[in-house]
Amino acid sequence: MPRYIFITGGVVSSLGKGLGSAALGAVLQARGFKVRLRKLDPYLNVDPGTMSPYQHGEVYVTDDGAETDLDLGHYERFTGVPARKTDNITTGRIYSNVIAKERRGDYLGATVQVIPHITNEIKEFIAADNDDADFVLCEVGGTVGDIESLPFLEAIRQFGNEVGAANALYIHVTLMPYIPAAGELKTKPTQHSVKELLSVGIQPSILLVRADREIPDEERRKIALFCNVRTERVVPALDVASIYEVPLSYHAAGLDTEVLRYFGIDAPPPDLSRWQEIMQRLNKPEGQVTIGVVGKYTSLLDSYKSLNEALIHGGFANNVKVKINWLNAEVFEKDDAVQQLEQVDGILVPGGFGERGTEGKVRAVQFARERKIPFFGICLGMQMAVIECARNQAGLNDVGSSEFGKYGNPVVGLMTEWVKEDAKVKRPDEGGDLGGTMRLGAYPANLAPGSLAAEVYGRTEISERHRHRYEVNTTYKTQLQDKGLIFSGMSPDGRLPEIVERRDHPWFIGVQFHPELKSKPFAPHPLFTSFIGAARKKSSLV
């Protein structure tokens, strides 16, 4: 039976519960244990798939096609354990499941209530599909005291009682603010947060206390006294320069040691050499490259969280620091704005939905093509590269995507069907719900031998994660290839374009999938490694 670790948060949101969970998972893994990480989200959406990136940041997609919270991206990047549909649940999903069971008569006429029906559904989710793990880390979203999270807190309280204290640990993440006028760190917010947690029957055994400076021992003892925990289990979680320093920082603070001591487990010291090497590359790069990201959601960088990290990983692989200029695509619709790209070493156009900013993205693609600047287009970015070629090189008129309206030459159109790995044909539900109607999850692709894509991957068969409704129209394939835009990656049935590239350019690749979702600091994605390498070459660092 695995041991369960529940991570809750108090005082304020955005304290880093997801990063803390991921870092603890990474350090336990470095001690030789198998881990699985899960997220319990209290919002009523069934999943984040229909939520605006401005509301909730990016949507992270798993191999098996789940649209999940961005914290699952942290989990994967830090541990390398692929996330699954069973690793993220929301209040909306829980209630949907319970209502469906009630409609089927599964409850035999009983009055359906939060306790026991909702809490039982949550507990079933926590316990499912984790037999191969030594530790299951469950992060509870939101802040203790929010009405939305009460069913989840009640469920984990019940779960801890059922599996026994020897198999369940509660970690509470709090904030210890510094008041400049008083010159003091304040413990009261932590005390009140723990009191709030106690009011629902949960006594945390470890406190992970966020602070922007060292916490004096006297303040730790004070927190321990008023919160009923051991002093050594009041673990400082101090601000660090990079998220990749967090596993090293938390281990140095004793978090994993106290977790194992709680469970009565002896284990060898962790091998943290991979994290030490990452920090070495981060702190002592050989140079810097500048990447211009021409996107739609640049005012909230969590919208591109995985992309940001994948670019940094590409820098690790090339031993350079990556400076990212986040540029609003709408600005590039002005005649002279594209000149902002003169000083960058690479241009990346990321994915997105809707027409806003697309003309600016097309101009950015044109600038990259004509100025021979390394270009990387992802999902919509690839589609914009195709539209740019069709307009400016193939001489087609009235060119666009059917996502944005009716065009005489719709070089990008809505998918009518596609084939999943189980050989079943999938079709979007006409007029149905938006949620879950896209091509989601991992799909295979075949790469043309001798292509840049095949060279980058080092093979001709790949599998990558998708999240989109529209595809490049292969009706125009010959006309585009005649102008130098090569279709170097296709779905196994040859119907869906996966990668385009240019052979008349130093480095120009567009992909229909999202490679950033599979990049990790200790295993950078080959496309990002190659792209940053090309940017480094342009910057004259080699």
Side-chain angles (χ1 to χ4, degrees):
M1 178 181 179
R3 272 91 169 183
Y4 293 87
I5 302 173
F6 297 102
I7 299 97
T8 57
V11 186
V12 295
S13 60
S14 302
L15 281 181
K17 296 191 304 296
L19 276 173
S21 302
L24 176 57
V27 180
L28 290 173
Q29 195 179 55
R31 284 182 176 266
F33 297 104
K34 292 182 179 180
V35 299
R36 176 149 294 282
L37 291 99
R38 295 197 156 148
K39 179 72 181 288
L40 314 176
D41 269 313
Y43 51 76
L44 281 168
N45 303 67
V46 171
D47 60 43
T50 59
M51 297 169 72
S52 166
Y54 290 125
Q55 288 276 323
H56 201 66
E58 77 167 2
V59 174
Y60 191 78
V61 179
T62 61
D63 277 338
D64 56 4
E67 294 177 289
T68 71
D69 184 81
L70 62 81
D71 277 326
L72 272 73
H74 292 314
Y75 304 162
E76 271 206 39
R77 282 189 288 273
F78 275 67
T79 67
V81 178
R84 303 183 292 220
K85 285 183 179 181
T86 51
D87 292 329
N88 188 206
I89 200 73
T90 68
T91 297
R93 177 75 68 186
I94 292 293
Y95 274 82
S96 294
N97 292 349
V98 169
I99 290 170
K101 289 180 179 180
E102 185 272 332
R103 293 289 82 188
R104 291 196 305 265
D106 291 4
Y107 299 125
L108 301 176
T111 301
V112 179
Q113 298 174 291
V114 172
I115 301 172
H117 301 97
I118 297 298
T119 52
N120 283 350
E121 193 75 20
I122 296 170
K123 288 186 291 183
E124 287 177 17
F125 162 76
I126 293 170
D129 197 22
N130 55 32
D131 291 338
D132 60 339
D134 298 310
F135 291 97
V136 177
L137 287 76
C138 291
E139 175 196 350
V140 181
T143 306
V144 169
D146 294 344
I147 193 170
E148 294 93 345
S149 62
L150 285 175
F152 288 103
L153 296 177
E154 172 60 19
I156 66 172
R157 183 196 68 79
Q158 292 179 19
F159 193 94
N161 281 340
E162 291 166 10
V163 300
N167 294 303
L169 165 66
Y170 300 98
I171 297 177
H172 192 49
V173 185
T174 71
L175 176 67
M176 194 171 187
Y178 178 77
I179 309 299
E184 293 177 346
L185 284 163
K186 291 298 184 180
T187 66
K188 193 65 71 176
T190 294
Q191 294 177 45
H192 280 300
S193 185
V194 172
K195 183 179 179 181
E196 190 75 36
L197 196 57
L198 283 167
S199 72
V200 297
I202 296 174
Q203 166 66 60
S205 292
I206 295 178
L207 297 178
L208 194 56
V209 184
R210 291 297 312 275
D212 65 353
R213 63 201 65 214
E214 291 289 336
I215 301 175
D217 289 343
E218 181 58 36
E219 301 305 302
R220 290 178 65 198
R221 285 192 289 269
K222 183 177 180 181
I223 290 174
L225 175 65
F226 284 99
C227 296
N228 197 31
V229 298
R230 297 180 183 177
T231 302
E232 60 270 23
R233 291 181 180 171
V234 179
V235 180
L238 306 183
D239 293 351
V240 291
S242 165
I243 62 173
Y244 300 115
E245 192 178 347
V246 176
L248 297 170
S249 175
Y250 284 9
H251 170 66
L255 178 59
D256 54 307
T257 301
E258 292 305 321
V259 167
L260 294 180
R261 186 173 295 161
Y262 174 88
F263 287 116
I265 298 174
D266 291 322
D271 178 6
L272 296 173
S273 56
R274 62 161 50 165
W275 299 103
Q276 292 162 349
E277 181 179 350
I278 288 168
M279 291 309 300
Q280 174 76 10
R281 290 177 176 268
L282 190 65
N283 292 328
K284 296 184 178 179
E286 294 177 357
Q288 176 177 289
V289 298
T290 302
I291 303 298
V293 178
V294 183
K296 179 179 177 181
Y297 311 112
T298 52
S299 62
L300 180 67
L301 298 187
D302 268 358
S303 302
Y304 298 114
K305 188 60 181 175
S306 291
L307 179 64
N308 181 87
E309 300 310 316
L311 286 167
I312 293 172
H313 304 164
F316 293 161
N318 289 278
N319 205 21
V320 294
K321 178 182 179 180
V322 178
K323 178 185 177 184
I324 304 174
N325 287 351
W326 298 99
L327 305 168
N328 187 337
E330 289 182 276
V331 173
F332 289 90
E333 294 174 5
K334 301 175 183 177
D335 289 337
D336 59 346
V338 77
Q339 301 306 317
Q340 294 182 43
L341 296 172
E342 286 279 6
Q343 304 304 316
V344 303
D345 303 309
I347 296 171
L348 190 150
V349 177
F353 295 91
E355 186 175 9
R356 181 170 60 83
T358 53
E359 290 303 317
K361 292 180 180 183
V362 170
R363 288 196 174 192
V365 175
Q366 182 180 2
F367 188 88
R369 175 177 62 81
E370 293 177 347
R371 300 298 182 91
K372 305 297 184 183
I373 299 172
F375 170 78
F376 195 2
I378 296 176
C379 198
L380 183 64
M382 167 181 158
Q383 297 171 6
M384 296 301 99
V386 171
I387 288 173
E388 191 278 329
C389 179
R391 287 181 184 175
N392 299 327
Q393 292 185 285
L396 297 174
N397 296 318
D398 196 20
V399 170
S401 167
S402 62
E403 181 179 2
F404 314 137
K406 292 185 177 180
Y407 291 89
N409 288 297
V411 297
V412 178
L414 181 67
M415 291 180 293
T416 56
E417 63 182 37
W418 61 95
V419 179
K420 190 64 173 164
E421 288 180 332
D422 56 11
K424 293 181 180 178
V425 176
K426 310 291 182 182
R427 295 181 178 86
D429 184 8
E430 289 289 338
D433 296 334
L434 283 177
T437 59
M438 292 182 284
R439 189 179 181 214
L440 287 166
Y443 286 84
N446 295 335
L447 309 184
S451 64
L452 174 58
E455 177 186 333
V456 167
Y457 276 97
R459 57 186 187 275
T460 57
E461 294 182 359
I462 63 170
S463 176
E464 293 284 2
R465 298 177 190 175
H466 295 66
R467 183 176 182 253
H468 58 100
R469 293 186 180 91
Y470 293 82
E471 289 274 0
V472 173
N473 190 339
T474 53
T475 302
Y476 300 89
K477 182 178 178 181
T478 300
Q479 291 167 276
L480 295 169
Q481 292 201 138
D482 287 345
K483 297 302 179 181
L485 191 69
I486 308 302
F487 286 59
S488 58
M490 300 291 293
S491 60
D493 61 5
R495 299 175 63 182
L496 302 177
E498 296 281 14
I499 302 177
V500 297
E501 62 182 65
R502 304 196 71 95
R503 293 176 182 166
D504 57 354
H505 193 282
W507 204 98
F508 189 109
I509 286 181
V511 299
Q512 186 57 72
F513 45 84
H514 289 270
E516 69 272 22
L517 299 177
K518 296 180 75 171
S519 186
K520 300 169 183 65
F522 42 82
H525 193 285
L527 284 171
F528 284 92
T529 297
S530 183
F531 175 56
I532 298 301
R536 175 174 176 157
K537 186 175 182 180
K538 180 187 178 298
S539 71
S540 302
L541 286 174
V542 294

